């Protein structure tokens, strides 16, 4: 019988900060761009070039430090981490080891058994490296330094996480927090959020941690979860067979769902860290911290509460909107324009989520103007288009950002008010579906719903179903006249 084992996880999360310029020079941080076009002597490591710290990076770090309940160090400093790699032109990375800007934070996550606190050991500022591109056909590698010097925060948890599910809950909470603070877009697919996972396994109740392995740069939460599951079961099997775990860095192959050994684990002393001589220590005054705290934008929990209080939304609806910043932004902007929060919320929770799924679109790809959603809602309310047509137009708004009013006119989708025309349609529906008419007359009142549906279909949705219903009832009551 196998003994009970416990999985222990610690995460190291890198996020690229959404500053306009890099951490130590004035080059643009924009993602993509012609390779090596966002570069200068500083971020390409030219001898003699000197770094100048971007103040905004420190402000963002303070804002995050406060949000994770950490201690902001009043005097912090940068250190040099020395290593050679072609994506790192200076042969060192400017980072923080000895005096990181923030220590001893925490983040609360939801679990099946209630709330749980995950400790944050520390958070520090550092610079990103360039990007290497390997070409098999040319037998060559090329390097793009556009990313070199993009500011990063590295957030390191304590080994408090116990399952893949908790790890994902932590990452989701952290990502949402960073997005609401406006410090990072946290796009895993573009690398602006990257996760290193440390996993170990120990006998339940043991007071010492087991030997860990590390998997670097996982680029989706799904990959994080799968890597944890796979690695912890690999550890278990080894331990059950009396074998040792190697303290090493492994590469996670998400396609095949397995990890491979990459290198034995490096340690701080391997990097010959020393205080960065080209940058002075950073003094952080209380007044500065206080100002950043005061300017903090509204956070997810606050919005959740406000959406219920101010707009009367059910908690469930509010949590769906708040759980995705793009939904919350759209909701607030469209509501400000049309003043109908419940209707805006319904469009987002219903049609929008459905359309995103159908088109395999991530929420960050939402690019239509909130004004067009507000206008659409007003058109429905004014009786100018039917609900069916509104859905058709909304699909066009989501994919092509069409102006609903213009689109309605162009495609002649406006509501048909002409009752004589509607009566003609109804007569033909009654003729074709005599069975439903019979059913209705025999007292099966629900049959009228089907007939309304058929008439709406003939009208291609361009009629008011209430009017159709009324006219149908009229028509059917005529039919009921005794046949002498
Ligand atoms: P390094 O920087 O060399 O990777 P750290 O000591 O900074 O090492 O730890 C990195 C991460 O690994 C932290 O998130 C920490 O919580 C986690 N960790 C440390 N020991 C263990 C362990 N035995 N099992 C799981 N995670 C661990
Ligand atoms: Mg590490
Ligand atoms: Zn530069």
């Amino acid at each position: 019988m196998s003994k009970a084992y416990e999985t222990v996880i610690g995460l190291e999360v890198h996020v690229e900060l959404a500053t306009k310029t890099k951490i130590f020079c004035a080059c643009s941080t924009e993602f993509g761009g012609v390779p090596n076009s966002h570069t200068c002597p500083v971020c390409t490591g030219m001898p003699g070039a000197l770094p100048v710290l971007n103040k905004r990076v420190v402000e963002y770090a303070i804002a995050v430090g406060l949000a994770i309940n950490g201690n902001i160090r009043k005097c912090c400093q940068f250190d040099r981490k020395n290593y050679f790699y072609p994506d790192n032109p200076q042969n060192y990375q400017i980072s923080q080891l000895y005096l990181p800007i923030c220590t001893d934070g925490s983040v609360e996550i939801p679990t099946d058994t209630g709330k749980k606190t995950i400790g944050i050991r520390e958070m520090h500022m550092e610079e990103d490296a360039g990007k290497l591109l390997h070409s098999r056909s040319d037998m060559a590698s090329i390097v793009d330094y556009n990313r070199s010097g993009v500011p990063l925060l590295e957030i390191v948890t304590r080994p408090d996480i116990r399952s893949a599910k908790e790890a994902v809950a932590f990452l989701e909470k952290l990502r949402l927090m960073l997005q609401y603070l406006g410090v990072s877009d946290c796009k895993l697919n573009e690398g602006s959020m990257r996760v290193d996972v440390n996993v170990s396994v120990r006998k339940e109740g043991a007071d010492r941690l087991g030997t860990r392995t590390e998997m670097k740069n996982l680029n989706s939460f799904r990959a994080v979860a799968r890597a944890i599951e796979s690695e912890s079961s690999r550890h278990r099997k080894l331990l059950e067979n009396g074998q040792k775990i190697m303290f090493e860095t492994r590469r996670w192959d998400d396609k095949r769902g397995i990890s491979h050994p990459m290198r034995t684990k490096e340690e701080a002393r391997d990097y010959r860290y020393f205080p960065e001589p080209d940058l002075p220590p950073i003094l952080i005054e209380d007044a500065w911290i206080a100002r950043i705290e005061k300017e903090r934008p509204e956070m997810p929990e606050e919005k959740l509460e406000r959406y219920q209080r101010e707009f009367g939304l059910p908690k469930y609806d509010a949590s769906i909107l708040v759980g995705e910043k793009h939904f919350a932004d759209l909701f607030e902007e469209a509501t400000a324009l049309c003043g109908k929060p419940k209707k805006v919320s319904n469009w987002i929770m219903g049609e929008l989520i459905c359309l995103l799924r159908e088109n395999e679109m991530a929420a960050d790809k939402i690019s239509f103007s909130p004004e067009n959603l507000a206008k659409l809602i007003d058109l429905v309310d004014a009786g100018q288009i039917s609900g069916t047509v509104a859905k058709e137009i909304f699909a066009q708004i989501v994919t092509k950002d069409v102006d609903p009013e213009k689109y309605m006119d162009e495609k002649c989708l406006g509501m048909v008010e002409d009752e004589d025309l509607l009566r003609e349609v109804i007569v033909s529906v009654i003729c074709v579906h005599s069975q439903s008419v019979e059913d209705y007359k025999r007292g099966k009142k629900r049959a009228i719903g089907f007939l309304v549906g058929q008439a709406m279909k003939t009208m291609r949705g361009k009629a008011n179903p209430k009017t159709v219903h009324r006219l149908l009832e009229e028509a059917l009551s005529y039919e009921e006249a005794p046949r002498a």
Side-chain angles (χ1 to χ4, degrees), residues 22 25-27 38-40 42-43:
K22 293 185 178 181
C25 63
C27 293
H38 304 158
T39 55
C40 74
V42 173
C43 56

Side-chain angles (χ1 to χ4, degrees), residues 240-300:
E240 275 168 8
N241 293 332
Q243 287 174 281
K244 271 220 164 96
I245 312 286
M246 292 290 291
F247 184 41
E248 63 189 0
T249 300
R250 299 176 67 87
R251 187 192 307 281
W252 172 248
D253 180 343
D254 200 45
K255 275 209 191 82
R256 297 171 58 204
I258 48 172
S259 69
H260 306 281
M262 213 161 105
R263 54 167 190 256
T264 56
K265 189 74 186 82
E266 74 288 348
E267 289 174 49
R269 63 167 183 227
D270 298 329
Y271 291 112
R272 301 292 188 271
Y273 277 97
F274 59 84
E276 171 56 52
D278 288 340
L279 288 164
I282 309 156
L283 301 177
I284 300 173
E285 285 171 3
D286 288 337
W288 196 18
I289 298 178
R291 204 198 76 217
I292 290 167
E293 182 146 43
K294 214 174 116 221
E295 285 168 3
R296 175 174 58 77
E298 192 179 32
M299 296 303 279

Side-chain angles (χ1 to χ4, degrees), residues 15-35:
V15 286
E16 283 181 349
L17 294 179
T19 54
K20 288 208 171 57
T21 57
K22 293 185 178 181
I23 183 168
F24 301 122
C25 63
C27 293
S28 165
T29 56
E30 209 181 311
F31 180 76
V34 176

